[in-house]
Amino acid sequence: GCVMAGSGAADAEALCAPGAGGLALLGLAPNAPTCPHGPALLFVKTSQGKEEGRRFYACSACRDRKDCNFFQWEDEKVSKSRLAAREEYNRTHQPSHTHRQNMERYKNFVLLPLAKRRFCQECQQLLLPEEWEKHSNHQLLCEISTAQLQSPSQLLYPLENKKTNAQYLFADRSCQFLLDLIIDLGFRRVLSVGTPRLHEMIQSKASKEEDFRVRSLLLDIDFRYSQFYTEDEFCHYNMFNHYFFAGEAARETCRKFLCQDSGERVIMVTDPPFGGLVEALASSFKRLMALWKDTEKEDAISQEMPMFWIFPYFFESRILEFFPSFTMMDYQVDYDNHALYKHGKTGRRQSPVRIFTNLTPRMIVLPAEEGYRFCAICQRYVSSGNQHCEICNSCTSKDGRQWKHCFLCKKCVKPSWFHCNNCNCCALPTHTCEKAAAGCFVCGQAGHKRSTCPSLSHS
């Protein structure tokens, strides 16, 4: 999951809202300056009760200045020499090989006998014999099999610096479930945005099974994948600013892929870094939907490209703000290399990650053997602990446990919460009332955190 560099944050909920940390995202400006990650995004500093601060540009993909320290005030006059230095910096911070060169290398690599197939773990690249010398004191993997070449996500190191590359990969169980679901729903093309595990599962099946009809195109910021996939299978892409690194040609590859030849239905599956700014992602996803719409000739009924957006449940209100047609499913998505988001050895650590989709909820059949069942009233599949509340008239649990109804709050709350008369809302028994009395630091009202403050100006 989140298999893509992006503004990963240690505290995802703190970045939930544009007002977090007194910063609001204004989005993509027409003539934005660029850093090695493409056009920078425009932000504005905000402080409570004061007028808007100064606007500035910062890297779209990295929230941590150590990873990309690009910064420029919007009204700043940048000298010619500084512009030239910046262009030079951007140029030298591009990958050493182009995608096309990587494909040539791959063709040569595959022709080598097993004994000569080596992969440098330090440089994260496939090596041809004439390059061995240069990497002689590096950690190498030898005898790279065809199976390994078909599972690059297992060959490559996950980039686990959370701030820039929140690179967590779907557990096989979740990946298989997603693929089965996509096939059962009748989709034949998958736009895999930051989901390399799903992409490689599709590619691998397509190469082994003759009657396997599903095709995938991977859009990802991790350029290492260009060593394994052709230009029709992988586009180097930043999902925070909708930037195709290879320019118009790659954008056209994507547009063509979305063109549904002979009625092949297409679905987009995306798994962004959880610290990513939701409005930046939503803006890019809307642009991908618009590309799809351009290619949609006769089918005017379907308004939006079908989509699975995989994200933690506590972002539900933010996602619905940008995509009102979406519904959150109860299915818990697991990751391989994430300590919190996978099956525990003893029982299950609940993963907070869910599937948000614009498809009709009752079509998303969840596995009974994992305890999901159909609620006839809600017309959707829910987890076993999610009991239908007669008063709310819906299955209200978000985290898999059975929630309870609070008559004073007029809604269901987590089982561990109790109504606090000081704060006039439900909270953990251990909470401190002063903090709640002070309330949200954006608007000063009690009952919510700044990350869900309704008074935030959303650009």
Side-chain angles (χ1 to χ4, degrees):
C2 329
V3 195
M4 168 135 188
S7 41
D11 177 7
E13 286 193 76
L15 266 181
C16 254
L23 278 191
L25 171 70
L26 299 173
L28 268 174
N31 297 311
T34 60
C35 72
H37 304 95
L41 294 178
L42 187 60
F43 293 87
V44 62
K45 280 202 153 93
T46 54
S47 50
Q48 199 176 342
K50 297 203 184 92
E51 63 211 73
E52 270 197 358
R54 210 169 156 193
R55 299 169 168 223
F56 64 90
Y57 290 105
C59 174
S60 60
C62 309
R63 286 279 80 78
D64 194 325
R65 297 287 294 274
K66 285 201 296 288
D67 298 310
C68 179
N69 63 3
F70 184 86
F71 181 93
Q72 183 191 313
W73 294 110
E74 186 190 28
D75 52 13
E76 193 179 333
K77 292 274 174 279
V78 184
S79 68
K80 280 208 167 103
S81 62
R82 210 172 122 217
L83 275 177
R86 182 185 289 169
E87 274 177 28
E88 177 59 14
Y89 178 87
N90 289 351
R91 204 181 51 74
T92 54
H93 282 74
Q94 290 312 316
S96 51
H97 296 112
T98 64
H99 194 161
R100 193 151 290 170
Q101 286 169 329
N102 274 341
M103 275 298 93
E104 283 306 311
R105 294 167 57 80
Y106 184 81
K107 280 180 197 152
N108 294 330
F109 188 89
V110 180
L111 295 173
L112 295 170
L114 199 56
K116 290 194 170 178
R117 288 189 193 174
R118 294 183 187 176
F119 176 79
C120 176
Q121 287 186 295
E122 280 171 57
C123 305
Q124 292 286 287
Q125 71 175 52
L126 299 170
L127 298 183
L128 297 171
E130 59 271 22
E131 298 162 331
W132 291 356
E133 186 66 38
K134 228 171 46 195
H135 300 259
S136 56
N137 55 356
H138 291 182
Q139 214 50 83
L140 302 181
L141 284 177
C142 300
E143 302 201 359
I144 303 296
S145 67
T146 306
Q148 281 171 296
L149 291 175
Q150 285 182 347
S151 321
S153 72
Q154 276 143 325
L155 195 57
L156 300 167
Y157 278 138
L159 302 167
E160 284 189 27
N161 162 1
K162 285 194 206 52
K163 286 270 174 19
T164 312
N165 305 283
Q167 194 161 33
Y168 297 119
L169 304 166
F170 291 144
D172 270 350
R173 161 194 154 273
S174 288
C175 203
Q176 193 61 62
F177 164 74
L178 278 169
L179 183 52
D180 291 343
L181 181 60
I182 287 163
I183 294 168
D184 291 345
L185 290 168
F187 293 105
R188 290 296 168 263
R189 284 174 187 242
V190 183
L191 186 65
S192 304
V193 183
T195 57
R197 269 274 158 97
L198 180 64
H199 175 73
E200 74 187 31
M201 188 177 267
I202 292 171
Q203 295 291 99
S204 165
K205 280 188 191 295
S207 70
K208 293 189 186 94
E209 303 167 23
E210 280 211 347
D211 53 354
F212 189 77
R213 290 277 167 266
V214 183
R215 293 290 170 270
S216 168
L217 172 64
L218 176 64
L219 306 188
D220 204 301
I221 202 164
D222 188 347
F223 190 67
R224 298 176 303 172
Y225 286 105
S226 67
Q227 302 178 81
F228 304 91
Y229 299 122
T230 67
E231 287 159 293
D232 289 333
E233 298 165 337
F234 168 76
C235 296
H236 191 202
Y237 175 78
N238 178 349
M239 66 167 98
F240 288 96
N241 57 5
H242 185 61
Y243 181 64
F244 287 93
F245 289 82
E248 201 41 54
R251 189 180 168 281
E252 187 51 26
T253 297
C254 181
R255 198 193 64 77
K256 275 210 193 96
F257 181 82
L258 294 175
C259 234
Q260 307 177 336
D261 305 336
S262 61
E264 288 185 332
R265 296 176 63 216
V266 69
I267 184 167
M268 173 175 151
V269 183
T270 185
D271 181 30
F274 301 153
L277 289 166
V278 174
E279 56 269 57
L281 293 167
S283 159
S284 295
F285 299 161
K286 285 182 171 163
R287 284 163 188 248
L288 287 170
M289 283 181 165
L291 262 189
W292 170 82
K293 240 188 153 76
D294 282 354
T295 64
E296 279 285 85
K297 305 283 187 292
E298 57 289 335
D299 185 12
I301 317 147
S302 45
Q303 291 309 297
E304 284 182 336
M305 165 162 65
M307 185 164 144
F308 288 156
W309 179 343
I310 292 153
F311 227 48
Y313 68 79
F314 42 79
F315 284 94
E316 182 180 23
S317 62
R318 297 287 289 139
I319 290 178
L320 298 187
E321 196 181 312
F322 297 102
F323 293 106
S325 62
F326 279 33
T327 315
M328 184 175 86
M329 302 290 101
D330 270 19
Y331 183 78
Q332 298 190 0
V333 180
D334 280 336
Y335 295 87
D336 258 357
N337 55 332
H338 197 301
L340 298 175
Y341 304 164
K342 64 178 177 188
H343 282 289
K345 301 256 184 303
T346 54
R348 127 145 243 176
R349 281 297 290 274
Q350 304 279 338
S351 164
V353 186
R354 302 289 181 270
I355 300 169
F356 292 86
T357 183
N358 49 5
L359 298 173
T360 313
R362 66 165 185 276
M363 292 162 58
I364 315 291
V365 180
L366 304 184
E369 65 277 10
E370 286 181 35
Y372 298 99
R373 56 184 177 77
F374 188 71
C375 171
I377 308 169
C378 293
Q379 286 288 297
R380 68 181 182 97
Y381 285 80
V382 296
S383 62
S384 52
N386 196 353
Q387 296 299 318
H388 191 86
C389 170
E390 302 290 330
I391 306 147
C392 298
N393 193 26
S394 84
C395 293
T396 49
S397 167
K398 307 282 184 202
D399 63 8
R401 299 178 295 171
Q402 186 173 343
W403 285 21
K404 59 184 183 185
H405 191 83
C406 170
F407 289 92
L408 295 168
C409 290
K410 296 190 169 64
K411 63 177 185 183
C412 285
V413 296
K414 293 180 177 178
S416 50
W417 287 16
F418 292 92
H419 195 83
C420 167
N421 292 327
N422 284 342
C423 306
N424 195 23
C425 67
C426 284
L428 278 169
T430 53
H431 80 289
T432 44
C433 288
E434 309 88 71
K435 223 186 248 171
C440 160
F441 83 51
V442 177
C443 70
Q445 292 180 342
H448 63 263
K449 286 191 284 196
R450 68 175 183 196
S451 58
T452 52
C453 178
S455 71
L456 282 167
S457 58
H458 297 319
S459 49

